[in-house]
Amino acid sequence: MDINKSSLHTDIDTVLNNYDFDFSDVEVTSLGNGHINSTYKLTTSEFEFVLQQINHDIFTKTVELSENAQKINTHLAEKNNQGEYPLAVPQQLLTKNGDTTIKIGSNYWRLMEFISDSYTLEEVSSPEQAALVARSFAQFSCALSDFSAEELSVIIKDFHDISFRMSQLSTAIANNTHNRLAQCQDIVDFCLSQQDFINSVVEISQKLPLHVTHNDTKINNLLFAKGDVPCAVIDLDTCMPGLLMHDFGDMVRTCCSNLAEDDTSTEEMVFKYDIFEALITNYKEAFGDTLTPLERQSLIVGAKLLPFIIGVRFLTDHLEGDHYFHVDRENHNLDRVKSQFQLFKLVCEAEPELLKYAE
């Protein structure tokens, strides 16, 4: 094995003993750059797998998370077999006891199929690529449109609930446990001044239908095959009942700025209209006539909401001492806040032009 920690060796060996495969000669290497779960690629002479240790501090409903993924994968595989879903569906492998996870000590592990010759991309580089991203995630949710979202467990309660996130922020402001409020009072004031927008989000959210949503629609949660063609949606950890505007808004958040989310050059941020047009056009086309008129309108709301709500979460974490999001430098979360709120402002400024795409 290529992993050096003996305790990790022992845990992995114990995990693999619970599966009906020959792992007597296996190579284990780290896989991906995720900040939450620990993921490894397993290679034997016959098979390739993905082994993942699920972060149970972040995902406290660990078993429910893997059971959600199992239900989704089963449904998508059936759709794929019927020719109604074009992407591959990498499956979780069940243990000898038929379980989706195995617990070793306090840690939960799962084994999944690895799609050979696949790879991930870290950023959208063209409208053509944005179109592929939007279409793939729309196909994912569209194929699940006849699966009852209520059958899934809610993995993170109030994940995209703006009222809940503002309540968390208000508590962080009141407590000011790390004496950071003074240095960012102007940002806090801006955030609190957006109550009309917050009210509009609450109002429309109450009128929209629930779907199975991915809730982390970054390009690196797609697998690509040769030629940069999407072949699978991955990372189903946050899949749960939600609103389509959340998935679409996260695509806008992660694709439509020319800067990384923690870049400090916020004054140089540009909103990429061509990327946005590719995203919304292809997202709507993949759904066809199944989107309601209100859902179409909500996509623009989502484009504003996701930068704002993630900014609120970064600001809350900054005030609370950076205990949730990983930071690499002083004021890292605050830099993220400034970037997200700048994107929010740019989307708001662009809204009159963007609304024509919601028709």
Side-chain angles (χ1 to χ4, degrees):
M1 292 187 180
D2 296 340
I3 308 301
N4 294 320
K5 296 180 180 178
S6 60
S7 61
L8 182 59
H9 274 198
T10 302
D11 283 355
I12 290 178
D13 287 342
T14 305
V15 170
L16 298 184
N17 285 334
N18 286 273
Y19 292 90
D20 271 325
F21 294 93
D22 181 6
F23 289 111
S24 57
D25 184 17
V26 60
E27 179 185 11
V28 183
T29 54
S30 295
L31 183 65
N33 59 358
H35 298 305
I36 296 179
N37 299 323
S38 299
T39 308
Y40 307 97
K41 180 183 176 183
L42 308 185
T43 306
T44 72
S45 59
E46 296 185 62
F47 303 104
E48 292 177 305
F49 300 96
V50 175
L51 178 67
Q52 191 169 71
Q53 180 184 322
I54 305 171
N55 187 328
H56 57 270
D57 292 322
I58 299 297
F59 297 116
T60 56
K61 295 185 176 181
T62 312
V63 174
E64 291 91 336
L65 177 155
S66 63
E67 289 177 346
N68 276 3
Q70 192 70 14
K71 292 175 183 178
I72 290 169
N73 284 341
T74 299
H75 187 85
L76 291 179
E78 291 175 358
K79 289 288 188 177
N80 179 275
N81 290 334
Q82 296 164 5
E84 298 176 4
Y85 182 61
L87 302 176
V89 186
Q91 296 291 323
Q92 294 181 138
L93 282 303
L94 300 181
T95 68
K96 294 175 183 178
N97 293 328
D99 298 321
T100 56
T101 60
I102 182 71
K103 186 178 182 183
I104 305 298
S106 60
N107 295 318
Y108 289 83
W109 299 77
R110 60 179 168 180
L111 189 67
M112 296 171 283
E113 292 179 334
F114 179 84
I115 298 182
S116 298
D117 300 320
S118 65
Y119 53 91
T120 58
L121 300 172
E122 289 303 316
E123 60 182 30
V124 168
S125 59
S126 68
E128 293 75 21
Q129 212 169 56
L132 294 173
V133 172
R135 190 165 291 275
S136 297
F137 281 116
Q139 288 168 336
F140 175 84
S141 286
C142 194
L144 290 160
S145 60
D146 57 350
F147 177 91
S148 175
E150 285 83 357
E151 289 189 31
L152 298 181
S153 299
V154 174
I155 301 303
I156 303 177
K157 190 175 184 293
D158 300 321
F159 190 49
H160 286 318
D161 186 322
I162 187 60
S163 298
F164 172 70
R165 296 302 184 184
M166 290 301 295
S167 175
Q168 287 183 311
L169 176 61
S170 296
T171 300
I173 293 169
N175 293 339
N176 193 22
T177 53
H178 287 71
N179 297 313
R180 293 178 172 181
L181 180 59
Q183 73 171 144
C184 58
Q185 186 65 57
D186 57 332
I187 298 175
V188 168
D189 290 343
F190 168 78
C191 186
L192 297 178
S193 73
Q194 302 304 308
Q195 192 59 50
D196 285 347
F197 169 67
I198 293 167
N199 291 342
S200 70
V201 171
V202 172
E203 181 180 0
I204 196 171
S205 297
Q206 294 170 345
K207 300 175 182 177
L208 293 168
L210 282 180
H211 290 265
V212 177
T213 47
H214 187 280
N215 295 305
D216 194 9
T217 51
K218 300 189 294 288
I219 189 173
N220 62 7
N221 281 328
L222 287 178
L223 287 182
F224 287 81
K226 184 177 180 180
D228 288 354
V229 177
C231 63
V233 173
I234 59 172
D235 194 357
L236 308 187
D237 294 350
T238 53
C239 286
M240 51 188 165
L243 305 178
L244 294 180
M245 72 173 182
H246 298 152
D247 272 5
F248 180 76
D250 208 29
M251 281 187 279
V252 172
R253 186 185 78 84
T254 55
C255 297
C256 289
S257 168
N258 62 317
L259 303 178
E261 72 175 14
D262 59 353
D263 195 300
T264 58
S265 307
T266 53
E267 69 282 354
E268 299 176 10
M269 184 180 292
V270 173
F271 181 77
K272 298 180 180 179
Y273 284 87
D274 56 344
I275 299 293
F276 178 87
E277 181 180 0
L279 289 175
I280 195 166
T281 300
N282 284 273
Y283 195 73
K284 291 193 306 180
E285 284 182 357
F287 274 98
D289 296 332
T290 61
L291 284 181
T292 68
L294 189 61
E295 283 182 305
R296 290 171 180 263
Q297 295 175 30
S298 77
L299 300 182
I300 307 300
V301 178
K304 295 185 292 182
L305 173 61
L306 266 292
F308 183 77
I309 200 169
I310 298 298
V312 169
R313 292 177 62 195
F314 285 144
L315 181 56
T316 301
D317 199 36
H318 174 72
L319 291 171
E320 293 179 342
D322 310 313
H323 65 85
Y324 187 88
F325 295 105
H326 176 77
V327 294
D328 294 319
R329 60 179 184 262
E330 185 178 0
N331 292 330
H332 196 170
N333 268 323
L334 192 57
D335 291 337
R336 290 166 170 152
V337 175
K338 294 174 182 176
S339 176
Q340 294 304 292
F341 283 171
Q342 178 65 9
L343 181 57
F344 168 71
K345 292 175 185 177
L346 290 178
V347 179
C348 289
E349 291 171 5
E351 185 173 10
E353 178 70 14
L354 303 184
L355 281 171
K356 68 182 182 182
Y357 297 112
E359 298 172 357

